[in-house]
Amino acid sequence: MTQEQQVDPVAYRNGMARYAGHVQVVTTEHEGIRRGVTVTAACSVSDDPPSLLVCLNRSNPNNEIFLKSGCFALNSLAAGHQSLAGDFAGFGEVTGAERFSRAAWTSLSTGAPVLSDALVSFDCRITDIKPVSTHFVVFGEVVGLHFGPQSEALIYLDRTFRAL
């Protein structure tokens, strides 16, 4: 492949399917409306100050609420959360309100929904948003932590959920 040739998007997606990712639900609430999305594109940025980033699809207008709210919670899922991950990924015909009704939620400093039995939840205040290609890269300073029960993590690999 020459430097001018681009990687085919389908080939890229097939390659990324072999890239294991921890499954998480990123949530927010703004003016009484809750939104949650299943993601694997999230990672730590720094521990001083504690900060992380999450990538959200720009093509979904429902994700604009994250930009308006100024906050989000990143909820790390356990192996037992597979059906919840599917709901928040939009695998079924489950509405936003129904998604939240299928689990117990609380909140910390920002008011973003925090999954009560997540492995860990990071409550974040948005510090920056960068539009990059098809996604928003949303940076957040961690202002609160919630630890749930220890369990196996939910991983997504080869287009299927797995436990680790």
Side-chain angles (χ1 to χ4, degrees):
M1 180 182 314
T2 67
Q3 197 171 19
E4 291 80 32
Q5 291 177 322
Q6 289 188 338
V7 172
D8 175 65
V10 173
Y12 176 78
R13 284 192 299 274
N14 288 337
M16 289 306 296
R18 296 182 181 185
Y19 185 87
H22 188 178
V23 182
Q24 302 173 74
V25 171
V26 60
T27 57
T28 196
E29 185 171 343
H30 181 64
E31 297 179 349
I33 299 171
R34 286 178 160 184
R35 171 87 175 140
V37 181
T38 299
V39 300
T40 56
C43 67
S44 174
V45 173
S46 176
D47 67 353
D48 189 17
S51 53
L52 53 82
L53 67 80
V54 62
C55 299
L56 297 169
N57 194 320
R58 289 174 62 186
S59 68
N60 188 331
N62 294 327
N63 286 339
E64 291 286 329
I65 191 171
F66 286 95
L67 312 183
K68 294 175 184 173
S69 71
C71 66
F72 65 89
L74 186 65
N75 301 280
S76 297
L77 301 186
H81 292 126
Q82 183 173 332
S83 63
L84 188 68
D87 290 343
F88 279 90
F91 290 167
E93 296 295 321
V94 182
T95 67
E98 287 177 303
R99 293 173 184 180
F100 282 98
S101 72
R102 295 181 175 194
W105 301 87
T106 189
S107 63
L108 301 175
S109 300
T110 69
V114 169
L115 182 62
S116 295
D117 64 345
L119 294 176
V120 62
S121 297
F122 302 90
D123 189 31
C124 299
R125 181 180 49 81
I126 294 176
T127 57
D128 200 4
I129 299 167
K130 300 283 186 196
V132 178
S133 190
T134 59
H135 284 66
F136 290 113
V137 181
V138 183
F139 294 86
E141 181 177 350
V142 179
V143 295
L145 286 170
H146 169 77
F147 292 92
Q150 286 192 325
S151 180
E152 291 185 311
L154 185 62
I155 302 295
Y156 198 70
L157 175 65
D158 290 329
R159 295 185 173 93
T160 191
F161 293 113
R162 301 170 188 268
L164 177 66

